[in-house]
Amino acid sequence: MSDNWIVQNLNSALQTWSDKLAEIWTLLTQSPENFKGGAIWSVMTNINGGLRAIGYGLLVLFFAAGLVKTCGSFTDMKKPEHVVKAFIRFALAQGAVMSGMELLTAIFSIVQGIVANIMSHSGMAGGTVTELPSEAVGMLESIPLWIVTLLGSLLITVLSFVMILTVYGRMFKLYMYTAIAPIPLATFAGEPTQSVGKNFIRSYAGVCLEGAIIALACIIFSVFAASPPAVGDTSLSAVTIVWNYIGELIFNLLVLVGAVKASDRIVKEIMGL
């Protein structure tokens, strides 16, 4: 570690970036039940239970609306195939509302297995610390260099928090889907409204799959930025060398932040949402 405080300032920002990258790696392996000690999951479970009663009421409403929409007359309801089909749909919808938590947990577990498989086959354990190369340390002694490293440190820190906020946003979406689940799942009771329930399941699976896309983005970035940015021609001024270094480094970080933030759009294109 250099004694030069300017270098320490930049390396501190890079350490923050690496810490956030390691935190993302940890978050991607956590389930909503274990996140923050499970306190948030407990609250969402209680909300889900409270909305389940409303879901049962909507279940009957959607079922009745579906019968009116799909059966042209009372004569149609006398046909055994219509009756059996209607009540099988009602029973399945009731089971979906009753066991909605188990259904969502099962979907999350399946996708989490995909994320774990991606991570294990990547051979990477988490974020890697990047530091300013020692070749440039001896030249960082002027005010222009202080300005360059200060701006670079600020931008790196901002990018690290933008990236981690995106990952936390995914976790929040998982909680929101879990809490509100009984309402959209009740729409399975009626044939005209079942598309709402299908879209809900697909959207939830898409949010879970965002974890796999984020993991892939981190893995690609780790390989892409495995070699530190080049110091450049030592015949150049110290400011130019460090500016080139920080510019290349920030470009690499912007690539990762852009890929992480685009994970939801990529999933929507994959899932056809």
Side-chain angles (χ1 to χ4, degrees):
M1 179 65 67
S2 170
D3 293 331
N4 192 311
W5 70 272
I6 299 177
V7 180
Q8 291 178 1
N9 183 47
L10 182 57
N11 282 339
S12 176
L14 294 173
Q15 181 64 52
T16 300
W17 173 271
S18 296
D19 290 343
K20 295 304 177 185
L21 199 59
E23 186 177 354
I24 287 176
W25 209 254
T26 302
L27 285 173
L28 293 178
T29 59
Q30 272 192 333
S31 64
E33 296 96 320
N34 300 325
F35 180 70
K36 297 296 182 182
I40 304 176
W41 179 258
S42 178
V43 174
M44 295 302 105
T45 301
N46 292 336
I47 295 174
N48 180 280
L51 292 179
R52 198 173 300 164
I54 300 175
Y56 286 135
L58 292 174
L59 193 71
V60 177
L61 178 63
F62 289 133
F63 176 70
L67 288 180
V68 173
K69 186 76 173 179
T70 56
C71 298
S73 64
F74 183 74
T75 306
D76 292 334
M77 280 303 300
K78 291 183 178 180
K79 298 178 181 179
E81 60 272 20
H82 285 293
V83 176
V84 171
K85 182 180 178 181
F87 280 96
I88 288 178
R89 180 183 297 279
F90 181 82
L92 292 175
Q94 184 182 18
V97 174
M98 183 183 301
S99 305
M101 291 284 290
E102 290 77 5
L103 175 63
L104 297 184
T105 302
I107 294 173
F108 179 83
S109 299
I110 293 171
V111 178
Q112 197 70 357
I114 297 173
V115 176
N117 193 278
I118 290 172
M119 289 181 170
S120 63
H121 283 80
S122 70
M124 297 177 183
T128 304
V129 177
T130 306
E131 290 193 354
L132 195 66
S134 57
E135 292 89 340
V137 170
M139 294 181 288
L140 299 180
E141 299 174 348
S142 64
I143 293 177
L145 284 176
W146 178 82
I147 296 174
V148 168
T149 53
L150 182 63
L151 292 175
S153 300
L154 180 62
L155 186 53
I156 291 170
T157 302
V158 170
L159 288 175
S160 66
F161 280 98
V162 169
M163 182 176 63
I164 196 67
L165 282 174
T166 303
V167 181
Y168 272 102
R170 168 184 174 264
M171 193 65 74
F172 273 55
K173 285 190 284 185
L174 290 174
Y175 286 127
M176 292 175 185
Y177 274 85
T178 301
I180 203 71
I183 306 301
L185 289 177
T187 61
F188 279 117
E191 188 172 346
T193 57
Q194 66 178 350
S195 60
V196 176
K198 291 179 179 178
N199 287 335
F200 173 79
I201 296 295
R202 289 167 60 196
S203 296
Y204 178 79
V207 173
C208 295
L209 196 59
E210 283 182 27
I213 302 301
I214 293 172
L216 286 171
C218 292
I219 291 168
I220 294 170
F221 168 79
S222 297
V223 178
F224 175 73
S227 300
V231 177
D233 187 357
T234 55
S235 64
L236 299 174
S237 67
V239 175
T240 303
I241 292 174
V242 176
W243 181 254
N244 291 340
Y245 176 87
I246 294 177
E248 186 178 346
L249 181 63
I250 289 176
F251 173 78
N252 291 343
L253 304 187
L254 281 171
V255 170
L256 177 58
V257 172
V260 170
K261 289 190 68 66
S263 60
D264 57 341
R265 180 177 57 82
I266 295 172
V267 168
K268 287 178 181 178
E269 292 176 355
I270 294 173
M271 303 290 289
L273 297 172

